[in-house]
Structures are given as structure tokens and as C-alpha cells.
Amino acid sequence: MQNRHKRKQQHELKRQNNKKSAETISNTKEEEPFPTHARPTPDECRAIRDSLLAFHGFPQEFARYRKQRPYLITLQDKEESSHLINNCDEKNDNGVKVEEEEESVLDGLVKTVLSQNTTEVNSQRAFLNLKSAFPTWENVLAAESKFVENAIRCGGLAPTKAACIRNILSSLMEKKGRLCLEHLRDLSVAEIKAELSHFKGIGPKTVACVLMFNLQKDDFPVDTHVFEIAKAIGWVPPVADRNKTYLHLNHCIPKELKFDLNCLLYTHGKLCRKCTKKSGSQQRKETLHDSCPLLNYCDKLS
């Protein structure tokens, strides 16, 4: 009995040491890569947020996540937040507000995996197909890989994504005994990053998306669109890669602006042909004079 108690104490001490180690590693990795690069300033972040909001309105695809965010700090921000929420409520064909169930953290992680290297339409279809074919995550884990691949094939890279999803599920079952990630809600950002990064195929952008959308943390994912715009308007030095851009912007952008600004930059990158190198197949949004609200911030966009 005494030996069992001693082993339990040793296990708890090891767990606490691992927790501290994860936080130390995370903090080391997230040191500011460009401490002398003064942009973006808080005022510039707010100005660009306001310009993009006036140009696009708040993106409907992110409306449900926007309503889950904590109220902002100042009275002005609270009023802006209320305006955003009131104007992004989803409605059905009869004009009645649609109440959606809260998305689980595991659902959000799988959705983000399926969104890699494909369009939003295809990734959403892949997720719906997966949930239709396998009502529970236990069903997905028990199924043969080929059936999971068939369900998500419309999203592209089916073998790779299916293997990633099944690895997440098997790892969860092995470590936690159940297929659930809700415990992440009680952890620090450093602990969340450490846990999610252990899954094979889960990179910084995927982790950041789960932090921002599903865990309501003040993080700033950097996808291709955000990366290209950040470089074009001089928010990072020309030598910056995506990971250093992520670290720099998370240091510089005020936390109360991160969510709205990220959603708007992502949307603008998809729609404005001046702000991205690839035109893609999606129709771009242009005004009568082919203008762009970011033209004033960088000559490269003119």
C-alpha cells in the first residue's frame, strides 16, 4: 500500500515536470523573431480591421465562432462587437435565426485537418460525408482506412488526411481512454500547443486554428492568404517565413483585434486579386474602380 502511494506521488511529480517542460519549450519557441520590426502597430491593426470590415462586412462563415468570443474590453469595442454579432446572425430561408450546436474541440480539429490544401466547399462536404458515414468518432476509429478515405475523398489528399485523423483518434484512445478533447479548455495555451503538437500531421497553423475558433484563445493563425498580405504590406521583413510571421504577428497584434482581423485578412486574401500571387478559380471581389482597401498601406499592391 505504501509502495503504491509512493509510485502515485512519483507519477504526479513526473506529470508536473512534464507540464513545466512543455511550457518552457513552448515559450522558447515563441520568442519574438523580429524584435526591431516595429510593424504592425496597434493603430494600424485597428485601421486595417475597420477598412476590411467596411469593404467586406464580417464573413458569414466565421459568424458562429464570433458569437462565442468574450466581450471586448472597452466600451467602443463592446459596441463594435455588438454591431458585428447583430449583423452576422445566420438565418434560414424564412428569415428566422438559426441556432447551431456548439462544435466540439475534436470536431474542430478534424475540420481543420480536412481544410488543408482544398477549398472551403470541398472541406465542408468532406466533413459532412464523414459524419454521415460514421455517426461517432468511435465508428471512424473502428472502420477500415479505405472506407474513411472514401468518405472524405472530395476534400483531396484522402489517404493522408484519413491516416492523420485515425492517428489522432487512436492516440486519444490510448492516452485518455476516450475520444474527446474537451479537457483542453482547462489548459493554458502552452499546454494546448504541447498536447496537439504531439499528434502526427498537426502543425502550427492547425493548432492555431483550433485555439482561435474552438477554444476562444487569442491566437492568430497564418495561412497562405494572411502570410502573403502580411509580407506585401510590410508587417514582417521580406525574409520572414510563415512560422516566424505567426510568431511576430502574435506578439504585435492586440489580443482584442486578433479574431476579427484574422478572419477579415483571410477573407480578403481569397477575394482580392491584388493581394495574392495566385488568382485561383474563385471569383474575386472588385469595386467599380478595381480598388483595394489595403492599397494605402503598400505600393506593392498598386
Side-chain angles (χ1 to χ4, degrees), residues 15-253:
R15 188 190 70 80
Q16 290 178 357
N17 288 336
N18 288 340
K19 175 179 174 181
K20 291 178 181 178
S21 176
E23 290 183 349
T24 301
I25 292 172
S26 179
N27 290 336
T28 301
K29 287 182 179 178
E30 295 193 357
E31 289 180 357
E32 164 64 275
F34 309 115
T36 61
H37 193 81
R39 298 180 64 202
T41 65
D43 287 344
E44 186 178 20
C45 292
R46 183 177 291 277
I48 287 183
R49 191 280 305 266
D50 292 345
S51 296
L52 291 176
L53 182 60
F55 189 67
H56 293 290
F58 191 79
Q60 286 293 316
E61 63 188 289
F62 302 122
R64 61 180 296 185
Y65 302 106
R66 181 62 178 78
K67 289 185 287 187
Q68 296 170 7
R69 305 296 295 183
Y71 285 109
L72 302 178
I73 298 172
T74 67
L75 178 60
Q76 179 183 0
D77 281 336
K78 284 185 178 180
E79 291 173 352
E80 290 172 355
S81 175
S82 176
H83 173 75
L84 285 169
I85 292 172
N86 290 336
N87 285 278
C88 66
D89 284 326
E90 296 188 23
K91 299 180 180 180
N92 62 19
D93 294 338
N94 296 320
V96 178
K97 289 183 182 180
V98 177
E99 296 295 334
E100 296 188 51
E101 293 183 6
E102 185 175 355
E103 187 174 85
S104 74
V105 180
L106 182 54
D107 280 14
L109 177 59
V110 173
K111 273 189 175 181
T112 307
V113 169
L114 293 174
S115 72
Q116 297 168 1
N117 299 295
T118 190
T119 65
E120 182 189 346
V121 172
N122 286 341
S123 68
Q124 287 181 347
R125 185 180 298 130
F127 183 77
L128 291 175
N129 288 350
L130 183 64
K131 296 293 279 188
S132 177
F134 306 101
T136 69
W137 292 120
E138 286 78 9
N139 295 148
V140 177
L141 182 58
E144 292 184 38
S145 295
K146 63 180 180 180
F147 295 119
V148 178
E149 292 173 20
N150 289 338
I152 64 174
R153 196 167 302 281
C154 63
L157 300 175
T160 301
K161 293 178 181 179
C164 180
I165 293 168
R166 286 171 54 80
N167 175 69
I168 291 170
L169 298 178
S170 61
S171 297
L172 268 177
M173 185 59 75
E174 180 181 347
K175 294 177 181 179
K176 302 294 182 181
R178 60 183 186 137
L179 302 182
C180 179
L181 284 172
E182 296 307 303
H183 67 281
L184 295 182
R185 298 186 187 276
D186 299 322
L187 303 184
S188 69
V189 170
E191 292 170 330
I192 294 168
K193 288 182 177 181
E195 284 217 20
L196 291 180
S197 297
H198 285 154
F199 295 127
K200 185 177 179 181
I202 301 302
K205 193 203 84 172
T206 298
V207 173
C209 286
V210 173
L211 280 167
M212 186 176 79
F213 291 115
N214 300 105
L215 296 170
Q216 291 81 49
K217 302 293 185 181
D218 297 312
D219 214 63
F220 197 85
V222 175
D223 77 318
T224 301
H225 302 299
V226 174
F227 178 54
E228 289 179 354
I229 293 176
K231 292 191 75 171
I233 62 179
W235 278 10
V236 289
V239 296
D241 59 19
R242 270 175 59 170
N243 186 53
K244 288 183 178 179
T245 299
Y246 165 72
L247 296 176
H248 178 70
L249 295 184
N250 264 291
H251 272 84
C252 294
I253 297 173

